[in-house]
């Protein structure tokens, strides 16, 4: 009697065939090996991928696939990870067995692995099915059975400190997990698409550098000359010279307006070309900068429209959580992004949440960081409360995974005063930082910090003294909406400012914000009157140039970054004006780290004290700010480090939150202004994400420009009121009112009665 043919997945809608289990295991193994060879773990990743779905070989699982899952469109519903977990523990060790056990639901803790292995040594149903599956799969894939063990890389075994070795093994496990789940998803998606796994070719970084240089030359010819162009050219040349240095940790310390984005791009591409690195990842703190930088790099690097060449730049800032455990969520995970592009522009939240996550959709991209240049722009925005684990992981990526890291900012924190970078060489790109700051000083500061300062008084001052071109930056989305109303007369009828007043916050879709920034730049260039009220998303890296900027009281680095939007090109002979104000009725984030930063700022900066661009005062400020958070380091993430040493992946994921979960939900908005064709495309992508079969990352990529961010409690209230509908994971589509200026305005919802706060 012939052996029963074993399958991994149901019939493809394209080919009509089921996915043979042997093909899936071997296909996934080959991909995983190619990914992990970059950091010396090819054999381990190959084996883990080879055994990850061995549990599907038992009769019960096969019967459920053919007679239940396929005809009814439902999950199989029988565990299939245990057989591979046992094989992995025997061959690569219990630590990496977590990769197989977690390849659907997420990396478990070590207690879970111990319990699973103990149970499978017994005589229960799961143990019997695991043994049956192993025997069946070994007949068609005999290489799953090995007598020898696969040893960890020599560098890992050679780490003398148990503390450092445990943390390094945490990162190593995450990187191997990334290779295996990405390989699994690529091979699965290829089956359902009826083709081969889509894996990008190795980029020619030398050619990309030459393309970048040609694009930069075109960009310079289009720009109107400014007094600071010579200094910007000097920064660029020094960055390119530094790129010839050995891989490691680099610092790009350049004042605002010093063309840091272009200098970082030139450094990264030349450094990658010099050292055979395969990818450049730019991470920035705000989506607005992600959009701006992606536009700049696309203009410089992507092939011209109509070309048959593949795009070079991938923009990724979606924070949609896709994993829902086994079952229907498995298809959703195939829509996750895997950063298979030569140049990736993303957010620091996306980068670090992925590095400390446990779910496959968030982690499948991590292996792309090995052998890459990672540019952390506006690095001053990294949260103090997580600084210790962030620096620890960056160090491991540099020392063990072949990455180079660039810390770029006008307000460089004193990171090397912390133990996590002890012994790591600090490689500066710019020689005379102090001289550069002196040459690029272009503003004067005025202060409004008394008890008489209110939103009403600031609105009156902006209207009477601000002039026709003013940018005002505030701390919260509610404050931005409130001040916008005061200036435009919305709600009270008293119009203070006659020129158009624009609004920017994360409650607007990414595409809407991009349109506003593009329009504002055009108005400024034409010399027309324009006012903008924005949250902090505009102050770091967004290339706008106002003669007068108002900034609500904030940490010192935010004040200096805001000043970078004032007289940016140095054309005002008497300098620009930055007014720092502290309204008694203003809001501030309630984070303890933020409070420490505010207290430290008050000690060093203000009238009759230092200006926010004083480098010596900034150094003292960072030391004071960190000291105010406690000497034990727990308020800076030491607790996360302790969990990482225990390889408690679920607890680490819970503890490490770059942003408060209340402010982490994405909402798709179909704006009335969108043309019918675009509206149809959005609805099609939403339907695709809801569909039965995997869609790949394309729909989420296309939906990014149409996403805004809301607090989770507001999303929950909108769902209850029928103003939003679920899409996939935690992504929802908004069906309520969207203000054409302020977006999803917290103070002006469509149906207040439908919300329960």
């Amino acid at each position: 009697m012939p052996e029963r043919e074993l399958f991994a997945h149901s019939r493809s809608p394209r080919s009509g065939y089921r996915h043979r289990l042997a093909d899936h295991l071997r296909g996934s193994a080959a991909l995983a090996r190619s990914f992990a060879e970059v950091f010396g773990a090819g054999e381990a990743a190959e084996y883990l991928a080879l055994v990850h779905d061995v549990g599907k070989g038992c009769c019960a699982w096969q019967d459920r696939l053919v007679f239940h899952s396929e005809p009814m469109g439902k999950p199989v519903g029988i565990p299939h990870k245990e057989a591979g977990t046992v094989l992995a523990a025997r061959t690569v060790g219990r630590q990496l067995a977590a990769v197989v056990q977690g390849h659907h639901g997420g990396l478990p803790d070590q207690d879970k692995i111990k319990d699973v292995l103990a149970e499978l040594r017994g005589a229960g149903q799961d143990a019997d099915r695991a043994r049956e599956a192993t025997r069946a799969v070994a007949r068609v894939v005999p290489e799953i059975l090995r007598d020898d063990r696969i040893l960890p890389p020599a560098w890992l075994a050679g780490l003398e400190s148990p503390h450092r070795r445990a943390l390094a093994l945490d990162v190593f496990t995450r990187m191997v997990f990334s290779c295996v789940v990405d390989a699994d998803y690529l091979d699965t998606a290829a089956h359902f698409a009826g083709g081969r796994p889509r894996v990008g070719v190795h980029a020619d970084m030398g050619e990309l550098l030459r393309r970048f240089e040609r694009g930069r030359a075109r960009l310079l010819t289009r720009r109107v000359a400014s007094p600071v162009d010579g200094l910007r050219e000097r920064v660029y040349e020094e960055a390119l010279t530094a790129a010839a240095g050995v891989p490691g940790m680099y610092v790009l310390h350049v004042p605002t307006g010093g063309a840091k984005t272009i200098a970082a791009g030139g450094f990264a591409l030349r450094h990658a070309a010099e050292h055979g690195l395969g990818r450049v990842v730019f991470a920035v703190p705000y989506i607005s900068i992600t959009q701006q930088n992606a536009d700049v790099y696309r203009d410089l690097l992507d092939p011209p429209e109509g070309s048959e060449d593949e795009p070079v730049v991938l923009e990724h800032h979606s924070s949609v959580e896709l994993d829902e455990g086994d079952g229907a969520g498995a298809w959703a995970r195939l829509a996750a992004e895997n950063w298979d592009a030569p140049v990736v522009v993303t957010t620091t939240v996306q980068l670090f949440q992925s590095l400390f996550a446990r779910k496959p959709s968030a982690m499948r991209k991590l292996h792309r960081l090995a052998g890459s240049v990672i540019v952390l722009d506006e690095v001053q925005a990294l949260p103090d409360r997580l600084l210790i684990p962030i620096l620890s992981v960056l160090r491991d990526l540099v020392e063990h995974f072949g990455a180079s890291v660039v810390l770029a900012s006008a307000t460089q924190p004193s990171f090397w005063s912390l133990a996590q970078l002890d012994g790591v060489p600090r490689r500066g790109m710019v020689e005379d930082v102090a001289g550069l700051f002196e040459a690029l000083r272009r503003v004067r500061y005025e202060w409004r910090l008394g008890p008489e300062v209110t939103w009403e008084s600031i609105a009156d001052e902006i209207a009477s003294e601000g002039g026709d071109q003013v940018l005002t930056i505030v701390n919260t989305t509610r404050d931005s909406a409130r001040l916008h109303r005061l200036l435009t007369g919305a709600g009270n009828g008293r119009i203070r400012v006659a020129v158009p007043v624009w609004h920017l916050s994360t409650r607007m879709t990414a595409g809407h914000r991009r349109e506003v920034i593009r329009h504002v730049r055009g108005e400024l260039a034409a010399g027309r009157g324009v006012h903008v009220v924005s949250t902090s998303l505009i102050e770091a890296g967004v290339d706008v140039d106002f003669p007068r900027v108002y900034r609500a009281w904030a940490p010192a680095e935010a004040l200096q970054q805001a000043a970078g939007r004032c007289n940016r090109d140095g054309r005002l002979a008497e300098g620009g004006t930055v007014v720092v104000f502290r309204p008694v009725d203003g809001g501030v984030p309630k984070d303890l780290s933020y409070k420490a930063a505010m207290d430290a700022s008050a000690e060093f900066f203000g009238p009759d004290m230092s200006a926010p661009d004083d480098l010596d005062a900034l150094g003292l400020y960072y030391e004071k700010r960190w000291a105010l958070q406690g000497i034990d380091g727990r308020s800076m993430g030491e607790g996360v480090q302790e969990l990482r040493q225990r390889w408690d992946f679920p607890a680490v994921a819970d503890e490490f939150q770059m942003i408060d979960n209340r402010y982490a939900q994405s909402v798709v908005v179909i704006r009335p202004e969108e043309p019918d064709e675009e509206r149809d495309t959005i609805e099609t992508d939403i339907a695709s994400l809801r569909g039965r079969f995997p869609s790949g990352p394309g729909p989420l990529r296309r939906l990014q420009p149409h996403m805004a961010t809301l607090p989770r409690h507001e999303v929950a209230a909108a769902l209850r009121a029928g103003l939003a509908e679920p899409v996939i994971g935690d992504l929802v589509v908004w069906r309520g009112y969207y203000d054409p200026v302020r977006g999803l305005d917290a103070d002006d919802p469509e149906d207040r009665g439908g919300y329960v706060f």
Side-chain angles (χ1 to χ4, degrees), residues 69-88:
S69 177
E70 190 171 88
M72 301 181 68
K74 293 185 177 181
V76 172
I78 293 178
H80 69 271
K81 300 170 290 188
E82 285 69 22
T85 301
V86 173
L87 292 169

Side-chain angles (χ1 to χ4, degrees), residues 589-602:
K590 295 178 173 58
D591 181 84
L592 292 177
S593 296
Y594 194 89
K595 182 181 185 302
M598 295 281 268
D599 291 346
S601 297

Side-chain angles (χ1 to χ4, degrees), residues 477-479 481-482 485 507 714 742 744-749 752:
T477 57
R478 284 190 182 276
D479 283 350
R482 181 178 184 181
R485 283 197 184 84
R507 288 177 174 269
E714 287 191 30
R742 291 184 294 273
L744 299 172
D745 190 342
D747 292 328
D748 189 24
R752 278 189 176 275

Side-chain angles (χ1 to χ4, degrees), residues 202-221:
H202 187 75
D204 183 344
M205 287 297 177
E207 173 55 32
L208 289 184
L209 175 61
R210 290 186 287 273
R211 191 184 296 180
F212 185 88
E213 290 279 13
R214 293 193 296 268
R216 177 175 174 269
R218 289 194 308 271
L219 183 65
L220 291 175
T221 60

